[in-house]
Amino acid sequence: MKVLSIRRKYLIAFLLFTMLILVTGVSLGISTLHQTKAQAASPAAQQISSDPFTNSTSQHQTQVEPSTASYGSMVVSVFQSGRFAVGGGSSGILWATSFDAGQTWKVGTLPDITVYAGGSYARASNAVVVYDQAHHTWLASVLVAKTFFENSSGSTSVVVSHSTDGLTWSNPALVAASGASDYFDKDWIVCDNHPASPYYGRCYEQWDNANADNLIMMSYSNDGGLTWSQAASPANQSFLGIGGEPVVQPNGHVIVPLYGYDKTTGADGIYSYRSIDGGTTWTNLAEIAPSTYSGTADPFYRGGSLPSAQVDASGKVYVVWAGCYFEADCLANETGNTTDDIVMTTTKDGLTWTPLQRIPLDAVGSDVEHLTAGLAVASNTAGNDARLAVTYYYWGNAGSCSAATCQAYAGMATSINGGTTWSQPLALAGPTTPDWWADTEAGYMTGDYITTAISANRAVALVPVATAPTGTTLHQAMYAASVPVTGGLHVCDKLSSSSVTPNRVTQNVVTPNTSKKDYYGA
């Protein structure tokens, strides 16, 4: 049985795709701030930025891996710009802020992080943004490296930048620095925004140490992200984990869905762990579902099936990811000759999860590959009235395409009844071909994750969009979509509580698809 290596072979193969529509990029100076009234790239997506960096060591123009959050009518996103082809990370992190639910944007660069933006670090990656309601501040978490990321030791740190207005950002505050033999990866941040919670105003930072058997690290801050506690890990951690997205319930409990690999059973899947004491202690993993990602994208894509998690006003936690659970030939012969759907499950306690349901984006057996889901749940809605939106990447000719011929798109669907039924899917942008995107050691990239926000009943998402390169210069820029949350009548398929895949596994017995693992990193 294979285990996750330092370079992190993972069953979640490769995300992404971004989209083409011929528009002119909006120029962005590193030290400048300006209003962007974007040009239309499709009925939904608008270009809001382009790569401002010019260092010869990075791939320009490239922008990837956006994280987007909202508070009221304000939306903030952060993303990588100037991606390195070897060793991971980017030249710097850009921010984009909207005050009208994603319809117009102001854009700038997080200051004093990399050497290309006035800082001391060589590279930056994995930017994630959140709003801390108690301290009235936006927090942008960034993974940074003194040299490079992949297989490095003693080079990585997790830092946090702060802003009270979404426009002016502080120098980064240190959360944790790796020891001489450590390699940090996949940070994520969340804040307790529930006034009735005993830990209201506490923010939680999660990351993993790839050089220590993918040990999960958790730290918290009580002062708006200025100082952070000593990192803690789940007691007697019996799993390897990556890509955790913590969410906080109204009672202060923290639940962390993630991709993991159980060292006892050898099963890889989607798991969760939690804290009920404000992050002082963390439990060991509980299984949500075995992972059945087809690996169709493995030959040339990076990313694909990390979970995305959100919570509604009642404390119900929703998790989505990509898997072939509903497809008749799901991994039947381990060849990756099937496609994946976006699936969802929910929990009230992080221990018991509802049977999987398939979000109805395309028909079962359609040969449409769906990857890299980013979920939003309106924080002031709950239960049967919860408003949801999911953004994802997809291509329609999955069975026969290559990096040069795949027709890749970004899509979105919304629900107004807690995910029982969904709207007709909307194409945000596309088509494009993956070989127009930033290249990495693990395939072409739009990001290992994507997120969605709901603001003023509008679903807001940023997606990287690519047009044809000019010689060796790429044209992968960041686009924004802001669409009404309407819901619809498309009904979810559901699995029985005892069966996870029709032809392969049951809920508690799984043969890991180790042949489909591939590298995830910064």
Side-chain angles (χ1 to χ4, degrees):
M1 189 64 62
K2 293 184 181 179
V3 228
L4 298 179
S5 69
I6 291 175
R7 288 195 61 196
R8 343 226 306 117
K9 283 192 152 188
Y10 284 100
L11 163 75
I12 26 199
F14 290 129
L15 8 144
L16 306 33
F17 354 81
T18 42
M19 312 45 287
L20 128 335
I21 309 302
L22 300 175
V23 298
T24 301
V26 178
S27 163
L28 173 65
I30 292 179
S31 60
T32 61
L33 163 67
H34 57 83
Q35 178 82 27
T36 300
K37 184 66 175 180
Q39 298 168 287
S42 75
Q46 302 176 316
Q47 185 176 355
I48 63 168
S49 82
S50 59
D51 177 17
F53 298 104
T54 59
N55 55 296
S56 61
T57 50
S58 297
Q59 299 171 92
H60 306 293
Q61 306 277 316
T62 60
Q63 295 185 315
V64 301
E65 206 163 73
S67 165
T68 306
S70 65
Y71 183 73
S73 61
M74 191 172 172
V75 184
V76 176
S77 187
V78 290
F79 45 91
Q80 299 181 51
S81 197
R83 179 76 191 186
F84 288 88
V86 177
S90 67
S91 301
I93 305 298
L94 267 63
W95 56 265
T97 298
S98 173
F99 297 94
D100 55 7
Q103 298 179 80
T104 60
W105 296 84
K106 295 177 183 291
V107 184
T109 302
L110 287 184
D112 301 312
I113 293 183
T114 66
V115 293
Y116 311 108
S120 60
Y121 295 102
R123 302 185 182 195
S125 190
N126 294 352
V128 181
V129 68
V130 70
Y131 185 70
D132 178 358
Q133 178 179 300
H135 296 96
H136 311 291
T137 188
W138 295 89
L139 304 178
S141 171
V142 181
L143 185 71
V144 292
K146 298 175 184 176
T147 54
F148 57 89
F149 287 104
E150 304 301 337
N151 292 328
S152 66
S153 294
S155 174
T156 51
S157 297
V158 178
V159 299
V160 170
S161 296
H162 312 77
S163 177
T164 57
D165 60 5
L167 304 175
T168 304
W169 293 82
S170 71
N171 293 345
L174 181 67
V175 178
S178 61
S181 61
D182 300 326
Y183 166 37
F184 292 168
D185 194 14
K186 287 294 174 289
D187 56 300
W188 204 268
I189 190 170
V190 70
C191 293
D192 188 335
N193 289 334
H194 306 288
S197 165
Y199 308 105
Y200 177 54
R202 179 168 291 185
C203 296
Y204 300 87
E205 180 82 61
Q206 185 241 237
W207 66 97
D208 68 275
N209 187 351
N211 285 1
D213 226 8
N214 290 92
L215 182 69
I216 298 298
M217 315 292 288
M218 298 291 305
S219 183
Y220 62 81
S221 172
N222 292 322
D223 56 9
L226 299 176
T227 60
W228 293 84
S229 69
Q230 183 72 29
S233 301
N236 303 313
Q237 183 178 322
S238 65
F239 62 98
L240 315 183
I242 189 174
E245 292 194 11
V247 295
V248 184
Q249 297 178 295
N251 61 3
H253 292 182
V254 185
I255 296 173
V256 191
L258 80 169
Y259 173 80
Y261 195 100
D262 190 318
K263 293 190 288 187
T264 302
T265 65
D268 57 343
I270 308 300
Y271 296 96
S272 69
Y273 63 99
R274 66 175 189 161
S275 175
I276 61 174
D277 56 11
T280 302
T281 60
W282 298 88
T283 64
N284 206 358
L285 86 172
E287 183 184 60
I288 298 176
S291 183
T292 62
Y293 179 70
S294 73
T296 299
D298 277 5
F300 44 83
Y301 295 100
R302 169 184 169 131
S305 193
L306 291 177
S308 176
Q310 291 287 316
V311 64
D312 71 15
S314 72
K316 179 188 285 188
V317 176
Y318 303 72
V319 181
V320 300
W321 69 94
C324 64
Y325 305 87
F326 290 80
E327 302 296 330
D329 59 347
C330 181
L331 303 178
N333 55 10
E334 304 292 348
T335 60
N337 61 349
T338 188
T339 55
D340 297 285
D341 305 298
I342 304 303
V343 299
M344 184 175 78
T345 182
T346 66
T347 186
K348 294 182 179 179
D349 59 8
L351 303 175
T352 304
W353 296 82
T354 59
L356 295 185
Q357 60 187 64
R358 187 186 73 92
I359 299 177
L361 305 172
D362 291 282
V364 171
S366 65
D367 199 36
V368 178
E369 174 74 331
H370 308 86
L371 298 168
T372 317
L375 179 67
V377 178
S379 60
N380 60 346
T381 64
N384 292 333
D385 296 318
R387 299 199 164 223
L388 281 61
V390 64
T391 305
Y392 56 98
Y393 299 108
Y394 69 99
W395 67 85
N397 55 335
S400 59
C401 66
S402 67
T405 62
C406 275
Q407 297 293 292
Y409 300 80
M412 178 186 284
T414 65
S415 172
I416 59 173
N417 55 13
T420 301
T421 62
W422 291 79
S423 69
Q424 178 71 25
L426 172 67
L428 302 182
T432 188
T433 58
D435 61 358
W436 291 355
W437 308 335
D439 199 4
T440 76
E441 294 160 293
Y444 295 104
M445 180 179 190
T446 57
D448 294 343
Y449 53 80
I450 191 172
T451 64
T452 312
I454 294 179
S455 173
N457 200 42
R458 300 183 71 87
V460 183
L462 271 65
V463 291
V465 174
T467 58
T470 304
T472 58
T473 300
L474 300 176
H475 301 295
Q476 185 183 34
M478 201 58 64
Y479 283 58
S482 176
V483 301
V485 177
T486 59
L489 300 178
H490 294 266
V491 181
C492 291
D493 299 316
K494 293 185 178 181
L495 291 178
S496 70
S497 59
S498 61
S499 175
V500 170
T501 60
N503 296 338
R504 183 163 171 257
V505 299
T506 62
Q507 181 73 43
N508 296 313
V509 180
V510 61
T511 302
N513 181 23
T514 54
S515 65
K516 296 300 177 215
K517 288 181 168 57
D518 224 309
Y519 298 132
Y520 259 111

